[in-house]
Coordinates of all heavy atoms in Angstrom, one line a residue:
Chain A
A115 N -4.0 33.2 -26.4 CA -3.2 32.0 -26.7 C -1.8 32.2 -26.1 O -1.2 33.2 -26.3 CB -3.1 31.8 -28.2
L116 N -1.4 31.2 -25.4 CA -0.1 31.2 -24.8 C 0.9 30.5 -25.7 O 0.6 29.3 -26.0 CB -0.1 30.6 -23.4 CG -1.0 31.2 -22.3 CD1 -0.8 30.5 -21.0 CD2 -0.6 32.7 -22.1
F117 N 2.0 31.1 -26.0 CA 3.0 30.4 -26.9 C 4.2 30.1 -26.0 O 4.7 31.0 -25.3 CB 3.5 31.3 -28.0 CG 2.6 31.3 -29.2 CD1 1.2 31.4 -29.1 CD2 3.1 31.2 -30.5 CE1 0.4 31.4 -30.2 CE2 2.3 31.2 -31.6 CZ 1.0 31.3 -31.5
V118 N 4.6 28.9 -26.0 CA 5.8 28.5 -25.1 C 6.8 27.6 -25.8 O 6.5 27.1 -26.9 CB 5.2 27.7 -23.9 CG1 4.3 28.6 -23.0 CG2 4.5 26.4 -24.3
T119 N 7.9 27.4 -25.2 CA 8.9 26.5 -25.8 C 9.2 25.4 -24.7 O 8.5 24.4 -24.7 CB 10.2 27.3 -26.2 OG1 9.8 28.2 -27.3 CG2 11.2 26.3 -26.7
K120 N 10.2 25.6 -23.9 CA 10.6 24.6 -22.9 C 10.5 25.1 -21.5 O 10.3 24.3 -20.6 CB 12.0 24.1 -23.2 CG 12.1 23.3 -24.5 CD 13.5 22.8 -24.7 CE 13.7 21.9 -25.8 NZ 15.1 21.5 -26.1
E121 N 10.7 26.4 -21.3 CA 10.8 26.9 -19.9 C 9.4 27.0 -19.3 O 8.5 27.6 -20.0 CB 11.5 28.2 -19.8 CG 13.0 28.0 -20.0 CD 13.8 29.2 -19.5 OE1 13.9 29.4 -18.3 OE2 14.3 29.9 -20.4
N122 N 9.2 26.6 -18.1 CA 7.8 26.5 -17.5 C 7.4 27.6 -16.6 O 6.2 27.7 -16.3 CB 7.6 25.2 -16.8 CG 8.4 25.1 -15.5 OD1 8.9 26.1 -15.0 ND2 8.5 23.9 -14.9
H123 N 8.3 28.5 -16.3 CA 8.0 29.4 -15.2 C 6.9 30.4 -15.5 O 6.0 30.7 -14.7 CB 9.2 30.1 -14.6 CG 10.0 30.9 -15.6 ND1 10.8 30.2 -16.6 CD2 10.2 32.2 -15.8 CE1 11.4 31.1 -17.3 NE2 11.0 32.3 -16.9
C124 N 7.0 31.0 -16.7 CA 5.9 32.0 -17.1 C 4.6 31.2 -17.3 O 3.5 31.7 -17.0 CB 6.3 32.7 -18.3 SG 7.6 34.0 -18.0
L125 N 4.7 30.1 -17.9 CA 3.4 29.3 -18.2 C 2.7 29.0 -16.9 O 1.5 29.3 -16.7 CB 3.8 28.0 -18.9 CG 2.6 27.1 -19.2 CD1 1.6 27.8 -20.1 CD2 3.1 25.8 -19.8
Y126 N 3.4 28.3 -15.9 CA 2.8 28.0 -14.7 C 2.3 29.2 -14.0 O 1.2 29.2 -13.4 CB 3.8 27.3 -13.8 CG 3.9 25.8 -14.0 CD1 5.1 25.1 -14.0 CD2 2.7 25.0 -14.2 CE1 5.2 23.7 -14.1 CE2 2.8 23.6 -14.3 CZ 4.0 23.0 -14.3 OH 4.1 21.6 -14.5
D127 N 3.0 30.3 -14.0 CA 2.6 31.5 -13.3 C 1.3 32.0 -13.9 O 0.4 32.4 -13.1 CB 3.7 32.5 -13.4 CG 3.4 33.8 -12.6 OD1 3.5 33.7 -11.4 OD2 3.1 34.8 -13.2
L128 N 1.2 32.1 -15.2 CA -0.1 32.6 -15.8 C -1.2 31.6 -15.5 O -2.3 32.0 -15.3 CB 0.2 32.8 -17.3 CG 1.1 33.9 -17.6 CD1 1.4 34.0 -19.2 CD2 0.6 35.3 -17.1
L129 N -0.9 30.3 -15.6 CA -2.0 29.4 -15.4 C -2.5 29.4 -14.0 O -3.7 29.3 -13.7 CB -1.6 27.9 -15.8 CG -1.3 27.7 -17.3 CD1 -0.8 26.3 -17.5 CD2 -2.5 28.1 -18.2
A130 N -1.6 29.6 -13.0 CA -2.0 29.6 -11.6 C -2.8 30.9 -11.4 O -3.8 30.9 -10.7 CB -0.8 29.6 -10.7
R131 N -2.4 32.0 -11.9 CA -3.2 33.3 -11.8 C -4.6 33.1 -12.4 O -5.5 33.6 -11.9 CB -2.5 34.4 -12.5 CG -1.2 34.9 -11.8 CD -0.5 35.9 -12.6 NE 0.9 36.1 -12.2 CZ 1.3 36.9 -11.3 NH1 0.5 37.7 -10.7 NH2 2.6 37.0 -10.9
H132 N -4.6 32.5 -13.5 CA -5.9 32.3 -14.2 C -6.8 31.4 -13.4 O -8.0 31.8 -13.2 CB -5.6 31.6 -15.6 CG -6.8 31.4 -16.4 ND1 -7.3 30.1 -16.7 CD2 -7.7 32.3 -16.9 CE1 -8.4 30.3 -17.4 NE2 -8.7 31.5 -17.5
E133 N -6.2 30.3 -12.8 CA -7.1 29.4 -12.0 C -7.6 30.1 -10.8 O -8.8 29.9 -10.4 CB -6.2 28.2 -11.6 CG -7.1 27.2 -10.9 CD -6.3 25.9 -10.5 OE1 -5.8 25.3 -11.5 OE2 -6.1 25.6 -9.3
S134 N -6.8 31.0 -10.2 CA -7.3 31.6 -8.9 C -8.2 32.8 -9.2 O -8.6 33.5 -8.3 CB -6.1 32.0 -8.1 OG -5.4 33.0 -8.7
G135 N -8.4 33.2 -10.5 CA -9.3 34.3 -10.8 C -8.6 35.6 -10.9 O -9.3 36.6 -11.1

Side-chain angles (χ1 to χ4, degrees):
Chain A
L116 300 181
F117 277 47
V118 298
T119 295
K120 290 179 173 175
E121 289 199 70
N122 71 15
H123 55 289
C124 286
L125 177 64
Y126 273 139
D127 185 70
L128 293 175
L129 294 179
R131 288 172 199 271
H132 182 247
E133 183 177 300
S134 66

